[in-house]
Coordinates of all heavy atoms in Angstrom, one line a residue:
M1 N 135.2 4.8 100.7 CA 135.0 6.2 100.9 C 134.9 6.6 102.4 O 134.4 5.8 103.1 CB 133.8 6.7 100.1 CG 134.0 7.8 99.2 SD 132.5 8.4 98.4 CE 132.7 7.7 96.8
D2 N 135.3 7.8 102.7 CA 135.2 8.1 104.1 C 133.9 8.9 104.5 O 133.2 9.3 103.6 CB 136.4 8.9 104.6 CG 136.5 10.3 103.9 OD1 135.5 10.9 103.6 OD2 137.6 10.8 103.8
I3 N 133.6 9.0 105.7 CA 132.4 9.6 106.2 C 132.2 11.0 105.7 O 131.0 11.4 105.4 CB 132.2 9.4 107.7 CG1 130.8 9.8 108.2 CG2 133.3 10.3 108.4 CD1 129.8 8.8 107.8
Q4 N 133.2 11.8 105.6 CA 133.1 13.2 105.2 C 132.6 13.2 103.7 O 131.7 14.0 103.4 CB 134.4 14.0 105.4 CG 134.6 14.4 106.8 CD 135.9 15.1 107.0 OE1 136.7 14.7 107.9 NE2 136.3 16.0 106.2
K5 N 133.2 12.4 102.9 CA 132.8 12.4 101.5 C 131.4 11.9 101.3 O 130.6 12.4 100.5 CB 133.8 11.5 100.7 CG 135.2 12.2 100.5 CD 136.0 11.5 99.5 CE 137.3 12.1 99.3 NZ 137.3 13.4 98.6
N6 N 131.1 10.8 102.1 CA 129.7 10.3 102.0 C 128.7 11.3 102.5 O 127.6 11.4 101.9 CB 129.6 9.0 102.8 CG 130.4 7.9 102.2 OD1 130.8 7.9 101.0 ND2 130.6 6.8 102.9
F7 N 129.0 12.0 103.6 CA 128.1 13.1 104.1 C 127.9 14.1 103.0 O 126.7 14.5 102.7 CB 128.7 13.7 105.3 CG 127.8 14.7 106.0 CD1 126.8 14.3 106.8 CD2 128.0 16.1 105.8 CE1 126.0 15.2 107.5 CE2 127.2 17.0 106.4 CZ 126.2 16.5 107.2
G8 N 128.9 14.5 102.3 CA 128.8 15.5 101.2 C 128.0 15.0 100.1 O 127.2 15.7 99.5
L9 N 128.2 13.7 99.7 CA 127.4 13.1 98.6 C 126.0 13.1 99.0 O 125.1 13.3 98.1 CB 127.9 11.7 98.3 CG 129.3 11.6 97.6 CD1 129.7 10.2 97.5 CD2 129.2 12.2 96.2
R10 N 125.6 12.8 100.2 CA 124.2 12.8 100.7 C 123.6 14.2 100.5 O 122.5 14.3 100.1 CB 124.1 12.2 102.1 CG 122.7 12.1 102.6 CD 121.9 11.1 101.7 NE 120.6 10.9 102.4 CZ 119.5 10.4 101.8 NH1 119.6 10.1 100.5 NH2 118.4 10.3 102.4
I11 N 124.3 15.2 100.9 CA 123.8 16.6 100.8 C 123.5 16.8 99.3 O 122.5 17.3 98.9 CB 124.8 17.6 101.3 CG1 124.9 17.5 102.8 CG2 124.3 19.0 101.0 CD1 126.0 18.3 103.5
K12 N 124.5 16.5 98.4 CA 124.3 16.8 97.0 C 123.1 16.0 96.5 O 122.3 16.5 95.7 CB 125.6 16.3 96.2 CG 126.7 17.2 96.3 CD 127.9 16.6 95.4 CE 129.1 17.4 95.6 NZ 130.2 16.8 94.8
E13 N 123.0 14.8 96.9 CA 121.8 13.9 96.4 C 120.5 14.6 96.8 O 119.6 14.7 96.0 CB 122.0 12.5 97.1 CG 120.9 11.6 96.8 CD 121.1 10.3 97.5 OE1 121.2 10.2 98.8 OE2 121.2 9.2 96.8
L14 N 120.4 14.9 98.1 CA 119.1 15.5 98.6 C 118.9 16.9 98.0 O 117.7 17.3 97.7 CB 119.1 15.5 100.1 CG 119.0 14.2 100.8 CD1 119.2 14.3 102.3 CD2 117.6 13.5 100.5
R15 N 119.9 17.6 97.8 CA 119.8 19.0 97.3 C 119.3 18.9 95.8 O 118.4 19.7 95.4 CB 121.2 19.7 97.3 CG 121.1 21.1 96.9 CD 122.5 21.8 97.2 NE 123.6 21.2 96.6 CZ 123.9 21.3 95.3 NH1 123.1 22.0 94.5 NH2 125.0 20.7 94.8
A16 N 119.8 17.9 95.1 CA 119.3 17.7 93.7 C 117.8 17.3 93.7 O 117.1 17.8 92.9 CB 120.2 16.6 93.0
V17 N 117.5 16.4 94.6 CA 116.1 16.0 94.6 C 115.1 17.1 94.9 O 114.1 17.3 94.4 CB 115.9 14.8 95.7 CG1 114.4 14.6 96.1 CG2 116.6 13.6 95.3
K18 N 115.6 18.0 95.8 CA 114.8 19.2 96.2 C 114.9 20.3 95.2 O 114.2 21.3 95.3 CB 115.3 19.7 97.6 CG 115.2 18.8 98.7 CD 113.8 18.6 99.2 CE 113.7 17.7 100.4 NZ 112.4 17.7 101.0
G19 N 115.8 20.2 94.2 CA 116.0 21.2 93.2 C 116.6 22.5 93.7 O 116.3 23.6 93.2
L20 N 117.5 22.3 94.7 CA 118.2 23.5 95.3 C 119.6 23.7 94.7 O 120.3 22.7 94.6 CB 118.2 23.3 96.8 CG 117.0 23.3 97.6 CD1 117.2 22.9 99.0 CD2 116.3 24.6 97.5
S21 N 120.0 24.9 94.5 CA 121.4 25.2 94.2 C 122.1 25.2 95.5 O 121.5 25.3 96.6 CB 121.5 26.5 93.5 OG 121.1 27.6 94.4
Q22 N 123.4 25.2 95.4 CA 124.2 25.4 96.7 C 123.9 26.7 97.3 O 123.8 26.8 98.5 CB 125.7 25.3 96.4 CG 126.2 23.9 96.1 CD 127.7 23.9 95.8 OE1 128.3 24.9 95.4 NE2 128.3 22.7 95.9
E23 N 123.7 27.7 96.5 CA 123.4 29.1 97.1 C 122.0 29.1 97.8 O 121.9 29.6 98.9 CB 123.4 30.1 96.0 CG 123.2 31.5 96.5 CD 123.5 32.6 95.4 OE1 123.8 32.3 94.3 OE2 123.4 33.8 95.8
A24 N 121.1 28.4 97.2 CA 119.7 28.4 97.8 C 119.8 27.6 99.1 O 119.2 28.0 100.1 CB 118.7 27.7 96.8
L25 N 120.5 26.5 99.1 CA 120.7 25.7 100.4 C 121.4 26.6 101.4 O 121.0 26.6 102.6 CB 121.4 24.4 100.1 CG 121.7 23.6 101.4 CD1 120.4 23.3 102.2 CD2 122.5 22.3 101.0
S26 N 122.4 27.3 101.0 CA 123.2 28.1 102.0 C 122.3 29.1 102.6 O 122.4 29.4 103.8 CB 124.4 28.7 101.3 OG 124.0 29.8 100.4
H27 N 121.4 29.7 101.8 CA 120.5 30.7 102.4 C 119.5 30.1 103.4 O 119.3 30.6 104.5 CB 119.7 31.4 101.3 CG 120.5 32.4 100.5 ND1 121.0 33.5 101.1 CD2 120.9 32.4 99.2 CE1 121.7 34.2 100.2 NE2 121.6 33.5 99.0
K28 N 118.9 28.9 103.0 CA 118.0 28.2 103.9 C 118.7 27.7 105.1 O 118.0 27.7 106.2 CB 117.4 27.1 103.1 CG 116.4 27.5 102.0 CD 115.8 26.3 101.3 CE 114.8 25.7 102.2 NZ 113.6 25.2 101.6
A29 N 119.9 27.3 105.0 CA 120.7 26.7 106.2 C 121.4 27.8 107.0 O 122.0 27.5 108.0 CB 121.7 25.7 105.7
E30 N 121.4 29.0 106.5 CA 122.1 30.1 107.1 C 123.6 29.8 107.3 O 124.2 30.1 108.3 CB 121.4 30.5 108.4 CG 120.0 30.9 108.3 CD 119.3 31.3 109.6 OE1 119.9 31.0 110.7 OE2 118.2 31.8 109.6
L31 N 124.2 29.3 106.2 CA 125.6 29.0 106.1 C 126.1 29.6 104.8 O 125.4 29.8 103.9 CB 125.8 27.5 106.1 CG 125.4 26.7 107.4 CD1 125.4 25.2 107.1 CD2 126.4 27.1 108.5
D32 N 127.4 29.9 104.8 CA 128.0 30.5 103.6 C 128.0 29.4 102.5 O 128.2 28.2 102.7 CB 129.5 30.9 103.9 CG 130.1 31.7 102.8 OD1 129.9 32.9 102.8 OD2 130.7 31.1 102.0
R33 N 127.8 29.9 101.2 CA 127.8 29.0 100.1 C 129.1 28.3 99.9 O 129.2 27.1 99.6 CB 127.5 29.8 98.8 CG 127.4 28.8 97.6 CD 127.6 29.6 96.3 NE 128.8 30.4 96.2 CZ 130.0 29.9 95.9 NH1 130.2 28.6 95.8 NH2 131.1 30.7 95.9
T34 N 130.3 28.9 100.2 CA 131.6 28.3 100.1 C 131.7 27.2 101.1 O 132.4 26.2 100.9 CB 132.7 29.3 100.2 OG1 132.7 29.9 101.5 CG2 132.7 30.3 99.1
Y35 N 131.0 27.3 102.3 CA 131.0 26.3 103.3 C 130.3 25.1 102.8 O 130.8 23.9 102.9 CB 130.4 26.8 104.6 CG 130.4 25.8 105.7 CD1 131.6 25.7 106.5 CD2 129.3 25.0 106.0 CE1 131.6 24.7 107.6 CE2 129.3 24.1 107.1 CZ 130.5 24.0 107.8 OH 130.5 23.0 108.8
I36 N 129.1 25.3 102.2 CA 128.3 24.2 101.6 C 129.2 23.4 100.6 O 129.2 22.2 100.6 CB 127.0 24.7 101.0 CG1 126.1 25.3 102.1 CG2 126.3 23.6 100.2 CD1 125.6 24.3 103.1
T37 N 129.9 24.2 99.7 CA 130.7 23.6 98.7 C 131.8 22.7 99.3 O 132.0 21.6 98.9 CB 131.4 24.7 97.8 OG1 130.4 25.5 97.2 CG2 132.3 24.1 96.8
S38 N 132.5 23.2 100.3 CA 133.5 22.4 100.9 C 133.0 21.2 101.7 O 133.6 20.1 101.7 CB 134.4 23.3 101.8 OG 133.7 23.8 102.9
V39 N 131.8 21.3 102.3 CA 131.2 20.2 102.9 C 130.8 19.1 101.9 O 131.1 17.9 102.0 CB 129.9 20.6 103.7 CG1 129.2 19.3 104.2 CG2 130.3 21.4 104.9
E40 N 130.2 19.5 100.8 CA 129.8 18.6 99.7 C 131.0 17.9 99.1 O 130.9 16.8 98.7 CB 129.0 19.3 98.6 CG 127.6 19.6 99.0 CD 126.8 20.1 97.8 OE1 127.3 20.3 96.7 OE2 125.6 20.4 98.1
N41 N 132.2 18.6 99.1 CA 133.4 18.0 98.5 C 134.2 17.2 99.6 O 135.3 16.7 99.3 CB 134.3 19.1 97.9 CG 133.7 19.6 96.7 OD1 133.1 18.9 95.9 ND2 133.8 20.9 96.5
G42 N 133.6 17.0 100.8 CA 134.2 16.2 101.8 C 135.5 16.8 102.4 O 136.3 16.1 102.9
K43 N 135.6 18.1 102.3 CA 136.8 18.8 102.8 C 136.6 19.5 104.2 O 137.4 20.1 104.7 CB 137.2 19.9 101.8 CG 137.6 19.3 100.5 CD 138.0 20.3 99.5 CE 138.5 19.6 98.2 NZ 138.8 20.6 97.2
R44 N 135.4 19.3 104.8 CA 135.1 19.8 106.1 C 134.7 18.8 107.1 O 134.0 17.8 106.8 CB 133.9 20.8 106.0 CG 134.2 22.1 105.3 CD 134.8 23.1 106.3 NE 135.0 24.3 105.6 CZ 135.2 25.5 106.2 NH1 135.1 25.5 107.5 NH2 135.4 26.6 105.5
N45 N 135.1 18.9 108.3 CA 134.6 18.1 109.4 C 133.5 18.9 110.0 O 133.7 19.9 110.7 CB 135.7 17.8 110.4 CG 135.3 16.8 111.5 OD1 134.3 16.2 111.3 ND2 136.2 16.6 112.5
V46 N 132.3 18.5 109.8 CA 131.1 19.3 110.1 C 130.7 19.2 111.6 O 130.6 18.0 112.1 CB 129.9 18.9 109.2 CG1 128.7 19.8 109.4 CG2 130.4 19.0 107.7
S47 N 130.3 20.3 112.2 CA 129.8 20.2 113.6 C 128.4 19.8 113.6 O 127.7 19.9 112.6 CB 130.0 21.6 114.2 OG 129.0 22.5 113.7
I48 N 127.9 19.4 114.8 CA 126.5 19.0 114.9 C 125.6 20.1 114.7 O 124.5 20.0 114.1 CB 126.3 18.3 116.3 CG1 124.9 17.6 116.3 CG2 126.4 19.3 117.4 CD1 124.8 16.4 115.4
Q49 N 126.0 21.4 115.0 CA 125.2 22.6 114.7 C 125.0 22.8 113.2 O 124.0 23.1 112.8 CB 125.8 23.8 115.4 CG 125.7 23.8 116.9 CD 126.9 23.2 117.6 OE1 127.8 22.6 116.9 NE2 126.9 23.2 118.9
A50 N 126.1 22.6 112.5 CA 126.1 22.8 111.1 C 125.2 21.7 110.4 O 124.4 21.9 109.5 CB 127.5 22.8 110.4
I51 N 125.3 20.4 110.9 CA 124.5 19.3 110.4 C 123.0 19.7 110.6 O 122.2 19.5 109.7 CB 124.9 18.0 111.1 CG1 126.3 17.6 110.7 CG2 123.8 16.9 110.8 CD1 126.8 16.4 111.5
Q52 N 122.7 20.2 111.8 CA 121.3 20.6 112.1 C 120.8 21.6 111.1 O 119.7 21.5 110.6 CB 121.2 21.1 113.5 CG 119.7 21.4 113.9 CD 119.6 21.9 115.3 OE1 120.6 22.5 115.9 NE2 118.5 21.7 115.9
K53 N 121.6 22.6 110.8 CA 121.3 23.7 109.9 C 121.1 23.1 108.5 O 120.1 23.5 107.7 CB 122.3 24.8 109.9 CG 122.3 25.6 111.1 CD 123.4 26.7 111.0 CE 123.3 27.7 112.2 NZ 124.2 28.8 112.0
I54 N 122.0 22.2 108.0 CA 121.9 21.7 106.7 C 120.6 20.8 106.6 O 119.9 20.9 105.6 CB 123.2 20.9 106.4 CG1 124.4 21.8 106.2 CG2 123.0 20.0 105.1 CD1 125.7 21.2 106.2
V55 N 120.4 19.9 107.5 CA 119.2 19.1 107.5 C 117.9 19.9 107.5 O 117.0 19.7 106.7 CB 119.2 18.1 108.7 CG1 117.9 17.4 108.9 CG2 120.3 17.1 108.6
K56 N 117.9 21.0 108.3 CA 116.8 21.9 108.3 C 116.6 22.6 106.9 O 115.5 22.7 106.4 CB 116.9 22.9 109.4 CG 115.7 23.8 109.5 CD 115.9 24.8 110.7 CE 114.7 25.7 110.8 NZ 114.9 26.7 111.9
G57 N 117.7 23.0 106.4 CA 117.7 23.7 105.1 C 117.3 22.8 104.0 O 116.6 23.2 103.0
L58 N 117.5 21.5 104.1 CA 117.1 20.5 103.1 C 115.6 20.1 103.3 O 115.0 19.4 102.5 CB 118.0 19.3 103.1 CG 119.4 19.5 102.6 CD1 120.3 18.3 102.9 CD2 119.4 19.7 101.1
D59 N 115.1 20.5 104.5 CA 113.7 20.2 104.8 C 113.5 18.7 104.9 O 112.5 18.2 104.3 CB 112.7 20.9 103.9 CG 111.3 20.9 104.4 OD1 111.1 20.9 105.7 OD2 110.4 20.8 103.6
V60 N 114.4 18.0 105.6 CA 114.3 16.6 105.8 C 114.5 16.3 107.3 O 115.1 17.2 108.0 CB 115.2 15.7 105.0 CG1 115.0 15.9 103.5 CG2 116.7 16.1 105.3
S61 N 114.1 15.2 107.8 CA 114.4 14.8 109.1 C 115.8 14.2 109.2 O 116.4 13.8 108.2 CB 113.4 13.7 109.6 OG 113.6 12.5 108.9
F62 N 116.3 14.1 110.4 CA 117.6 13.5 110.6 C 117.6 12.1 110.2 O 118.5 11.6 109.5 CB 118.1 13.6 112.1 CG 118.8 14.8 112.5 CD1 118.1 15.9 112.9 CD2 120.1 14.9 112.4 CE1 118.7 17.1 113.2 CE2 120.8 16.1 112.7 CZ 120.1 17.2 113.2
S63 N 116.5 11.4 110.5 CA 116.4 10.0 110.1 C 116.4 9.8 108.6 O 117.0 8.9 108.0 CB 115.2 9.3 110.8 OG 114.0 9.9 110.4
E64 N 115.7 10.7 107.9 CA 115.6 10.7 106.4 C 117.0 11.0 105.9 O 117.5 10.3 104.9 CB 114.6 11.6 105.9 CG 114.5 11.6 104.4 CD 113.5 12.6 103.8 OE1 112.7 13.2 104.6 OE2 113.4 12.7 102.6
F65 N 117.7 12.0 106.4 CA 119.0 12.3 106.0 C 120.0 11.1 106.1 O 120.7 10.8 105.1 CB 119.6 13.5 106.7 CG 120.9 14.0 106.2 CD1 121.0 14.9 105.1 CD2 122.1 13.4 106.6 CE1 122.2 15.3 104.6 CE2 123.3 13.8 106.1 CZ 123.4 14.7 105.1
F66 N 120.0 10.5 107.2 CA 120.9 9.4 107.5 C 120.5 8.0 107.0 O 121.2 7.1 107.2 CB 121.3 9.4 109.0 CG 122.2 10.6 109.3 CD1 121.7 11.6 110.0 CD2 123.6 10.6 108.9 CE1 122.5 12.7 110.3 CE2 124.4 11.7 109.2 CZ 123.9 12.7 109.9
T67 N 119.3 8.0 106.4 CA 118.9 6.7 105.8 C 119.4 6.7 104.3 O 118.8 7.2 103.4 CB 117.3 6.6 105.8 OG1 116.9 6.7 107.1 CG2 116.8 5.3 105.2
S68 N 120.6 6.1 104.2 CA 121.2 6.0 102.9 C 122.3 4.9 103.0 O 122.9 4.7 104.0 CB 121.9 7.4 102.6 OG 122.7 7.2 101.5
N69 N 122.5 4.2 101.9 CA 123.5 3.2 101.8 C 124.9 3.8 102.0 O 125.9 3.1 102.3 CB 123.4 2.5 100.5 CG 122.2 1.6 100.4 OD1 121.7 1.2 101.5 ND2 121.8 1.3 99.2
L70 N 125.0 5.1 101.8 CA 126.3 5.8 101.9 C 126.9 5.7 103.3 O 128.1 5.8 103.6 CB 126.2 7.3 101.6 CG 125.9 7.6 100.1 CD1 125.6 9.1 99.9 CD2 127.1 7.2 99.2
F71 N 126.0 5.5 104.3 CA 126.4 5.5 105.7 C 126.5 4.1 106.3 O 126.8 3.9 107.5 CB 125.4 6.3 106.6 CG 125.4 7.8 106.2 CD1 124.3 8.3 105.6 CD2 126.5 8.6 106.4 CE1 124.2 9.6 105.2 CE2 126.5 9.9 106.0 CZ 125.3 10.4 105.4
D72 N 126.4 3.1 105.4 CA 126.6 1.7 105.9 C 128.0 1.5 106.2 O 128.9 1.9 105.4 CB 126.1 0.7 104.8 CG 124.5 0.7 104.7 OD1 123.9 1.2 105.6 OD2 124.1 0.2 103.7
A73 N 128.3 0.8 107.2 CA 129.7 0.5 107.6 C 130.3 -0.5 106.8 O 129.8 -1.3 106.1 CB 129.8 0.1 109.1

């Protein structure tokens, strides 16, 4: 799997743990819901600014976000 798909899977995973819908995350992250959908589906190359907003919206640290077997090389 590629990094974009893994990144999207990690968002889905943490969003589920937090009990957030895509819409709720989009509001918290100040991003459009359709953007969140495309990121989760691995169809977007995400900027560092968007990553920061998503991580903040999920209420996790960067280290917590990137601590996942999905990111192992």
Side-chain angles (χ1 to χ4, degrees):
M1 232 185 257
D2 68 28
I3 190 69
Q4 284 177 230
K5 289 194 182 286
N6 290 347
F7 186 82
L9 287 173
R10 183 62 172 158
I11 293 169
K12 284 181 187 179
E13 176 182 60
L14 290 171
R15 188 171 57 74
V17 167
K18 300 284 183 170
L20 295 171
S21 66
Q22 287 180 339
E23 186 170 1
L25 175 57
S26 72
H27 288 295
K28 290 180 72 142
E30 299 178 351
L31 296 166
D32 191 86
R33 184 199 52 79
T34 59
Y35 182 82
I36 297 293
T37 300
S38 63
V39 171
E40 285 189 356
N41 290 322
K43 296 181 180 178
R44 289 274 184 161
N45 190 8
V46 185
S47 71
I48 193 68
Q49 289 89 357
I51 293 171
Q52 182 179 29
K53 287 181 175 188
I54 291 167
V55 168
K56 184 177 179 182
L58 289 167
D59 195 30
V60 297
S61 66
F62 274 89
S63 61
E64 182 178 354
F65 184 89
F66 287 104
T67 301
S68 171
N69 291 337
L70 292 170
F71 299 111
D72 290 344

